[in-house]
Amino acid sequence: MNGGSFLVRLNFLLAVMLIVSGLYLVKISYESRRLFADIENAHGTERQLESDRRRLEAERQGQATHLRVESTARTKLNMRAATPANTQYVVDAGLAAAPMTAPLTMAPVAASAPTSGASQ
């Protein structure tokens, strides 16, 4: 009977190992499916974020058009276009007194002193 009990123990050990490997296979399969689902969810999120980025980029470009900026400047900031009627020209008194044929020379910045009583 010694050989019979050995075979029973061997069969029992093999049955336990078969059950353990089956449970391990089920666990690995479940984990694989869960990871695959997580990857698919991440791809879906990536597609959604890319779609949002494109939409926001298009909105930003639409907000920055010249017509949009001009209309906002007119309505919200009460600005108006520059025309000769509303343009003031400022003439430097030193340049106005110089003859037109005289060459313009640049004075060193450190040597020039501010003049008092300059009109605005």
Side-chain angles (χ1 to χ4, degrees):
M1 263 209 137
N2 194 4
S5 68
F6 175 74
L7 287 177
V8 170
R9 287 183 186 177
L10 181 63
N11 284 339
F12 180 73
L13 180 64
L14 289 175
V16 169
M17 289 177 60
L18 181 66
I19 291 171
V20 169
S21 67
L23 290 174
Y24 183 73
L25 180 65
V26 168
K27 178 185 177 260
I28 294 299
S29 296
Y30 172 76
E31 187 69 19
S32 174
R33 278 188 231 120
R34 188 186 64 77
L35 290 174
F36 183 76
D38 287 348
I39 289 172
E40 287 300 313
N41 287 338
H43 284 304
T45 303
E46 177 189 19
R47 285 188 295 271
Q48 180 64 38
L49 289 173
E50 182 63 24
S51 172
D52 289 346
R53 187 194 65 79
R54 285 189 197 122
R55 181 183 52 82
L56 290 171
E57 184 69 26
E59 284 181 21
R60 185 185 65 82
Q61 288 176 353
Q63 294 289 327
T65 61
H66 296 294
L67 295 176
R68 170 96 172 132
V69 171
E70 184 178 345
S71 71
T72 301
R74 285 182 194 272
T75 57
K76 293 185 179 177
L77 300 176
N78 296 324
M79 297 178 84
R80 56 189 172 165
T83 62
N86 62 10
T87 303
Q88 291 182 340
Y89 296 97
V90 179
V91 178
D92 186 10
L95 289 177
M100 293 299 281
T101 59
L104 294 176
T105 59
M106 301 268 306
V109 176
S112 64
T115 59
S116 62
S119 63
Q120 299 218 6

